[in-house]
Amino acid sequence: MTTHAGKLAIVLAHEQWELEQASYDIAAGRATAKRCAETAGVLERLARELRDHAATLAFGGGHSPTTVDSDEPGGRGDPE
């Protein structure tokens, strides 16, 4: 079983790839309003999860209160 920290790391690595793709789309003028909004939502969720993880580290570890689902990186299913 993967630890919560391990799952968070997997999701972060996947989203790094997604952000890179979004940056190319934005620079090339291919980004849609939907894609931009989805990317913003992912960043907000990741920020929340990272803050929760930081809080668990600051207060003695354990599992953070949010759930990271590595089967659906970014909460959007498979990459487009």
Side-chain angles (χ1 to χ4, degrees):
M1 179 172 184
T2 305
T3 66
H4 183 270
K7 288 179 183 178
L8 181 56
I10 291 167
V11 171
L12 287 170
H14 178 270
E15 294 310 332
Q16 177 183 1
W17 180 85
E18 287 288 333
L19 290 171
E20 184 176 337
Q21 297 307 305
S23 72
Y24 294 138
D25 289 345
I26 290 168
R30 293 186 305 258
T32 64
K34 180 181 177 183
R35 172 75 183 242
C36 291
E38 287 175 348
T39 301
V42 167
L43 289 170
E44 290 166 350
R45 185 181 60 78
L46 288 175
R48 186 174 51 252
E49 290 182 11
L50 285 169
R51 283 187 202 99
D52 290 347
H53 184 69
T56 62
L57 294 175
F59 295 107
H63 296 291
S64 65
T66 58
T67 302
V68 175
D69 185 354
S70 61
D71 294 334
E72 294 188 35
R76 293 172 288 153
D78 293 330
E80 296 177 0

